[in-house]
Amino acid sequence: MKGIILAGGSGSRLYPITKLYSKQLAIIYDKPLIYYPLSIMMLAGIREILIISNEETIPLYKKLFGTGSHLGLSVSYTVQKAPNGIAESFILGEDFIGKDRVSLILGDNIFYGKMNFFYSAVENEEPGATIFAYQVKDPQRYGIVEFDSATGKPAAIVEKPKHPKSNYAVPGLYVYDNRVVEIAKGLKPSARGELEITDVNKAYLDMGELRVEKIGRGLAWLDTGTPEALLQASNFFGVIEDRQGLKVACIEEIAYNKGFISLKEFKELAGTIPDSLYKDYLLRVAEE
């Protein structure tokens, strides 16, 4: 299983922050936003990661993660020249994906809580695709899954419906078999000039090979599209970390706990970090 993080887009709603850098580098409490989707991939055991972004931002991601070897990962990078749609990720990542299955996460999506539904989808090697459905109060803002009332199976996927027949939104987290590359190549741009991920999902639905896992209570899917949402996410994780004394999306700790790196390598990695509360935390983890 390969993993792709799409960390591009114009981020216009966050201007002037995004005049300087990609919104996926905005700070959520004590770390860049992109740490959160990366941590989801790592917790699922995915170690080969492709980060897709614009030409200006790729050097900053390389400065953050390098080759990923210090985390027991293999991280590579590809430029998306324009925001041509989420589905273009599979075309840009064709060589990276090779003959493998692939999971895609949007770089501005944050999940917190039990992610067993995702881990199971990653481990499931059956043909097809798996997407997820999360209840929201404002379904008009999202791609929505409509379900057959008799069978409970997905019946349709509608992008930002004016009159939604469901309140189950599709978060930016997906798992596909290798056919997704050819499916993406066969798409035509939508009215807004993008290759839509909704059309990829519809293709699998038409083949009868789209699995939709409903996400129940106990998991938070956080929006980071506005300055207010960034502040709320920062406050959310600040409270959690302060109360528990444990960090969320600490990629060095995850690499160690998952066995990607040894205790010796973990201690050496902590030693390279400048004196900070973050370093103090890693050193405490190393001694526990």
Side-chain angles (χ1 to χ4, degrees):
M1 172 68 73
K2 302 286 181 64
I4 295 178
I5 302 175
L6 179 58
S10 61
S12 57
R13 289 187 296 167
L14 290 172
Y15 184 92
I17 296 172
T18 47
K19 187 176 183 180
L20 293 173
Y21 49 72
S22 165
K23 69 176 177 179
Q24 289 83 7
L25 290 170
I27 300 303
I28 301 295
Y29 188 52
D30 66 345
K31 58 188 72 70
L33 170 54
I34 195 172
Y35 273 48
Y36 294 84
L38 176 59
S39 71
I40 295 300
M41 291 289 185
M42 293 174 67
L43 287 167
I46 299 173
R47 301 176 67 171
E48 294 180 74
I49 307 290
L50 174 67
I51 296 176
I52 299 176
S53 189
N54 56 49
E55 191 171 6
E56 295 78 16
T57 310
I58 288 291
L60 299 178
Y61 291 136
K62 288 182 176 179
K63 186 175 182 180
L64 266 182
F65 306 122
T67 64
S69 59
H70 60 295
L71 298 169
L73 305 176
S74 174
V75 181
S76 51
Y77 307 87
T78 292
V79 171
Q80 186 180 39
K81 294 181 180 179
N84 295 322
I86 297 171
E88 190 185 36
S89 300
F90 306 112
I91 301 173
L92 296 173
E94 180 177 8
D95 291 341
F96 166 78
I97 296 168
K99 297 181 179 180
D100 294 317
R101 297 161 60 242
V102 63
S103 176
L104 169 70
I105 189 169
L106 303 186
D108 60 355
N109 272 228
I110 298 179
F111 299 87
Y112 178 74
K114 293 182 179 181
M115 296 288 293
N116 293 340
F117 61 90
F118 175 57
Y119 307 150
S120 296
V122 168
E123 294 171 1
N124 183 0
E125 297 186 0
E126 294 180 12
T130 303
I131 63 173
F132 308 99
Y134 188 92
Q135 289 194 74
V136 295
K137 66 178 182 179
D138 46 356
Q140 297 88 348
R141 294 178 53 204
Y142 304 95
I144 295 298
V145 183
E146 296 178 359
F147 294 93
D148 185 286
S149 58
T151 65
K153 293 182 178 181
I157 301 174
V158 183
E159 187 66 27
K160 298 180 180 178
K162 292 183 178 180
H163 304 288
K165 297 179 181 180
S166 161
N167 64 344
Y168 277 96
V170 180
L173 180 63
Y174 320 87
V175 180
Y176 299 104
D177 64 16
N178 192 258
R179 290 174 293 173
V180 71
V181 175
E182 293 305 317
I183 289 173
K185 285 181 176 181
L187 296 181
K188 294 182 180 179
S190 65
R192 59 178 183 169
E194 297 188 7
L195 300 181
E196 303 287 356
I197 195 69
T198 295
D199 290 336
V200 171
N201 296 331
K202 285 180 178 178
Y204 279 99
L205 180 63
D206 291 342
M207 293 188 292
E209 296 186 20
L210 180 69
R211 293 178 289 274
V212 179
E213 299 290 339
K214 291 182 179 179
I215 302 173
R217 297 189 180 192
L219 183 121
W221 172 39
L222 302 183
D223 177 27
T224 57
T226 65
E228 181 182 19
L230 286 177
L231 177 61
Q232 290 173 344
S234 289
N235 290 337
F236 179 81
F237 287 110
V239 169
I240 289 171
E241 292 194 8
D242 181 62
R243 298 277 285 189
Q244 295 182 339
L246 300 171
K247 288 202 171 296
V248 179
C250 178
I251 56 177
E252 297 84 358
E253 181 183 16
I254 293 170
Y256 169 53
N257 287 337
K258 294 290 292 184
F260 298 169
I261 58 176
S262 66
L263 177 59
K264 179 176 180 293
E265 291 170 325
F266 180 64
K267 288 181 176 180
E268 290 174 350
L269 177 56
T272 66
I273 295 175
D275 290 340
S276 58
L277 294 175
Y278 197 86
K279 179 178 183 176
D280 292 345
Y281 175 78
L282 294 183
L283 293 175
R284 177 163 64 85
V285 169
E287 297 303 322
E288 289 178 351

